[in-house]
Amino acid sequence: MLWKAHQLLRKFSTTATAYQRKLKLALIGQSIFGQEVYRHLQKEGHRVVGVFTIPDVNGKADPLALEAEKDGTPVFKFPRWRVKGKPIREVVEAYKSVGADLNVLPFCTQFIPMDVIDSPKHGSIIYHPSILPRHRGASAINWTLIQGDKKAGFTIFWADDGLDTGPILLQRECDVGRNDTVDDLYNHFLFPEGIKAMVEAVQLIADGKAPRIPQPEEGATYEGIQKKENAEISWDKPAEALHNWIRGHDKVPGAWTVIDGQMVTFYGSSLLDGPVPPGQPLAIKSTTKPGLITKNGLVLFGNDGKMLLVRNLQFEDGKMIPASKYFSSDEMSVIELTEEEKKMAEDIKSIWKGILSNVAVIEDSTDFFKSGASSMHVVRMIEEIKQKYGGLQLQNEDVYMATKFADFIQMAVRKLRGKDEEEELVIDYIIAKVSYASVADVDKAVAAAKDAFENGEWARMNARERGRLMYRLADLMEEHQEELATIEAIDSGAVYTLALKTHVGMSVQTFRYFAGWCDKIQGSTIPISQARPNHNLTFTKKEPIGVCAIVIPWNYPLMMLAWKSAACLAAGNTLVLKPAQVTPLTALKFAELSAKAGFPKGVINILPGSGGLVGQHMSEHPDIRKLGFTGSTLIGKQIMKSCAVSNLKKVSLELGGKSPLIIFEDCELDKAVRMGMGAVYFNKGENCIAAGRLFVEESIHDEFVRRVVEEIKKMKIGDPLDRATDHGPQNHKAHLEKLLEYCEIGVKEGATLVYGGRQVCRPGFFMEPTVFTDVEDHMYLAKEESFGPVMVISKFKNGDVDGVLKRANNTEYGLASGVFTRDLSKALYVSENLEAGTVFINTYNKTDVAAPFGGFKQSGFGKDLGEEALHEYLRTKAVTVEY
């Protein structure tokens, strides 16, 4: 009853406040971006009173129009707003009839009259994909890359009568990677973060807190739309400038040159380091040095002698080929289709027909793009094919390589049969030999670290210089991110795309975050009570501890290294680090990069070896003053005991977990299924905060399970270096065997094995994503962590909030937890009562370098990440002065 009263009170107070701060909006624009902005604004409670978009194209409505029409929102499709520079009266009147408080223009290609821009009470706001005042104009993302900017971003500004000149409301920026493309910037930052920012901007306006910052004219640039005739490559430039020109025009309009008398467009450029690879020379008009056709693509040379690599070439007739195949004259033989493949071809033809509605009949010669399709339709087509044929793994690039229907079908069949793929990598050989550290090696490393801390250059270095070194190291990690991700995938089994984004990406972010803290670590002054007439001053100093030991696990080898060592170094300590015995490679590469960054000798020491020998000796060593450990609770207890007995080392422990995830019937079910799967199967389940047990409300339990199994069947299990792979191998053989035993125990105890539970029949340590239901509280599966891709589901009675909380907390672990519900009061009540160091509400796995991370109970103590992590590697000294 107490919870219900609390719930009603919160509902009343928050709802009333939220209602007062919502606006009536007119959305003017188009595209999927506009559609997503519309959807999120509606979700936040704002009322879209009208959508003004472009007319249907070839009978197909714009995505924004489709979304609004589905909701019953009034949609207006004006071909133009003005004629000969003057507003069309009927159009303006139709606009004014909706009575908007604010115009929101997420992406708009039409000229909107000032009568409309200035009409609402709050005016109009526009999204622009550059950091204004730089790159005003319509091709801002392209010019960001063409001109070699190190930062990209977007601006939301107040519309005025100039071209992208209005006052700034908010801006966001991101780093530009050396090989980032327009698609990379848009998909990874400008699109997702732009949607969030548009919603934030509208709420700032609703709350009366939106700034109007005049744009400076200093640094302002304006560039026009790039057209094909202007995109020819000028060769007398350094390699980086050539690379920027090519990637800035990829995919539209495409940078081109002349080869053998015809226009050839280049796609997929990257800078190339190292020696010149072997290849066949290719003469290119106006170049002083011929290109080289190599097994990886076309190598080009700048006037500085440096290289770049182009992956794909497109000819004047629209045909695109891998650059490595330029001299290949033999055409692939036509495959005769089986009856099942013919049915697939007919299904794909129907999908093409649905997209190319202006084409009467899809024939073998029908060209996807010449029939009116765009890059947006590529995404749609691939998604629709995946939904029907989950085993057919297609990439956007495949469509550009086979634009005609007959070619596309041949390509699809080859992929389905496995004939279009290179032989899959099966690692059954030694990829590296790593030294096995001894006790004597530990002593040497600790001595070097102690000398560096007490007497070396590191001891004399000021905090700002320390930060500069850490920034430099982060930059080097980013420059080598693809190499690090490849090593991580091979070493740990992580899927390459995940390794690149999370294992490596978050490691880079962590070092940059803590680099910024180096010169901001401060003590305080404290008034004290002492008899007059004496004057007294007490102040505190935050000091580094000394030599710190770090012991990390095998599931996120590089990221766990970064989480602990970045805070340790920012505080001014030196470190001795032991990577997991089965995953030492990225730690060794990290050591190489740290030396390249300029870290003094002895500051960073890496010791590959066994936990029982190296780890144990580190926990007992008298010259180590702090030990940070991530691993099992059992080993954590042993380490804590050794640290206490030896010299009372300071200890922080991030240990095991059995994180509960509670899913209520009033959740957004599609999101709960998607996030719930991520909570369990992310990184093959080898994730310390993985949802070890899902509690699903009875009324939605069966539907939730059905949808999960349906989605699992679409997952591709395979080579972690294949970008299309969803689920890679488990880390090592012993762990796979432990997971299989875990599933056997579950079946024996009476839990229902709904899906999986077996090793995949193929070389490697691959485990099927697994689902158990009917798991009761006393069972082994309900109590013990699997640390693998095993979803453990228990149902709970409808409305039994306190009952499910009691069950969720009935564990000795408390690392993380989660809840899915649309009821904010319920969510906050549950979060207050869950006994866990992290609680996710309507999301999961969303860690950030600025947010502290650590557990309760037997999941350990101490924090990684955020300001709190620094305190794990600092000691406080109080100084009192009488004067």
Side-chain angles (χ1 to χ4, degrees), residues 78-133:
F78 300 134
R80 63 188 62 83
W81 290 73
R82 59 184 188 174
V83 174
K84 296 181 179 178
K86 293 185 178 181
I88 302 172
R89 183 171 58 84
E90 295 83 357
V91 171
V92 174
E93 286 176 357
Y95 159 77
K96 289 185 176 180
S97 69
V98 302
D101 299 324
L102 173 71
N103 292 331
V104 178
L105 287 76
F107 173 71
C108 182
T109 58
Q110 297 177 312
F111 287 99
I112 311 301
M114 289 307 297
D115 303 48
V116 173
I117 293 294
D118 294 336
S119 178
K121 175 172 64 175
H122 296 293
S124 304
I125 59 170
I126 301 177
Y127 171 92
H128 185 77
S130 79
I131 306 171
L132 291 175

Side-chain angles (χ1 to χ4, degrees), residues 757-802:
R758 298 169 299 183
Q759 182 175 359
V760 178
C761 186
R762 55 167 294 150
F765 309 133
F766 292 88
M767 170 85 177
E768 289 181 339
T770 299
V771 180
F772 277 99
T773 60
D774 303 316
V775 177
E776 297 175 9
D777 295 354
H778 68 274
M779 292 181 176
Y780 182 79
L781 268 62
K783 294 179 178 180
E784 295 299 323
E785 180 183 29
S786 72
F787 212 64
V790 182
M791 183 177 285
V792 175
I793 303 176
S794 300
K795 68 174 69 170
F796 66 95
K797 292 180 181 178
N798 294 336
D800 188 13
V801 177
D802 290 320

Side-chain angles (χ1 to χ4, degrees), residues 233-239 241-242 286-288 301-304:
I233 301 168
S234 175
W235 290 105
D236 191 20
K237 293 178 181 177
L242 295 174
S286 302
T287 58
T288 56
F301 299 89
N303 62 11
D304 56 355

